[in-house]
Amino acid sequence: MVNIAFCDLTHTGRVVSANYFPLGVAYIAAMAKKYFADRMTVDIFKYPESFSDYLKHTTPNIVCFSNYMWNKNLQLAYAKAIKDNHLDTITIFGGPNYPTNRDEQFEFLTNNRQIDFYIDGEAELAFVELIQTIKKYDFDFKQLKSDQIKIANTHYLSNETLICGELMPRIVNVE
């Protein structure tokens, strides 16, 4: 069984910074459940406190983070802490707070080595393709990256080279 955590964390304190339902990651999680059904568990997190509690007793195989300007630093901090303690946990980021220029994308990923893969654009089907490819490699994502396999909508660094899969067509009918 593969454990996947989806995080669209918000800053909390005196107020909740972005108090909305994590719809984007929920769509991706729903698509993953549709394709992988009983072969994975999916957990969705909005609040850092509940994600921290989860991490105390669970080491997920994959952690997915949304990337918005209001939560980027929070997500990156969690990804770094996870990678510092669990090198084999795969971290996947996605969201609109990502450069559009290839040189800037390379710089972003170089400066944020805690990100294993970045899904650029729509992620529902791209995430499924990424997971299918990772499964073919028996979750040896380092070998996948070393082989420089191109995966739709997915960016990553391999030997200081930015690897970018082709952009998938937009989803016109969400089922």
Side-chain angles (χ1 to χ4, degrees):
M1 185 70 67
V2 177
N3 296 319
I4 304 177
F6 288 88
C7 298
D8 185 8
L9 303 176
T10 186
H11 294 278
T12 57
R14 296 180 91 183
V15 297
V16 175
S17 175
N19 198 14
Y20 58 87
F21 183 80
L23 186 61
V25 296
Y27 275 135
I28 299 162
M31 186 68 77
K33 288 297 282 183
K34 177 180 176 181
Y35 278 84
F36 303 111
D38 59 346
R39 294 172 293 191
M40 68 170 47
T41 62
V42 170
D43 294 287
I44 300 175
F45 297 93
K46 179 68 182 168
Y47 301 108
E49 298 80 11
S50 60
F51 186 50
S52 292
D53 289 343
Y54 166 84
L55 290 174
K56 287 177 186 172
H57 59 80
T58 305
T59 301
N61 302 96
I62 301 169
V63 182
C64 305
F65 295 95
S66 63
N67 183 27
Y68 296 98
M69 63 185 219
W70 56 82
N71 71 356
K72 174 184 144 190
N73 293 335
L74 180 61
Q75 308 285 65
L76 288 170
Y78 267 96
K80 183 173 182 340
I82 289 167
K83 292 305 269 186
D84 286 348
N85 293 297
H86 307 285
L87 285 173
D88 291 333
T89 296
I90 300 168
T91 56
I92 302 170
F93 272 64
N97 194 34
Y98 185 63
T100 56
N101 171 285
R102 290 286 191 243
D103 291 335
E104 292 173 5
Q105 290 169 344
F106 174 80
E107 182 180 350
F108 179 84
L109 292 175
T110 298
N111 291 335
N112 297 291
R113 299 284 180 156
Q114 65 269 48
I115 299 173
D116 292 315
F117 300 97
Y118 201 102
I119 297 179
D120 187 25
E122 289 184 350
E124 291 83 356
L125 294 174
F127 180 76
V128 168
E129 185 171 328
L130 174 58
I131 298 306
Q132 288 171 333
T133 305
I134 290 169
K135 285 180 71 166
K136 287 178 189 172
Y137 275 80
D138 197 29
F139 289 84
D140 185 352
F141 68 98
K142 293 171 188 161
Q143 185 61 52
L144 182 161
K145 291 170 87 169
S146 178
D147 290 348
Q148 298 188 351
I149 301 300
K150 291 189 176 187
I151 305 161
N153 290 28
T154 303
H155 298 181
Y156 62 90
L157 294 179
S158 174
N159 297 322
E160 300 308 311
T161 300
L162 178 64
I163 307 300
C164 301
E166 294 295 318
L167 196 60
M168 296 176 98
R170 301 277 319 249
I171 298 171
V172 283
N173 185 14
V174 178
E175 296 177 25

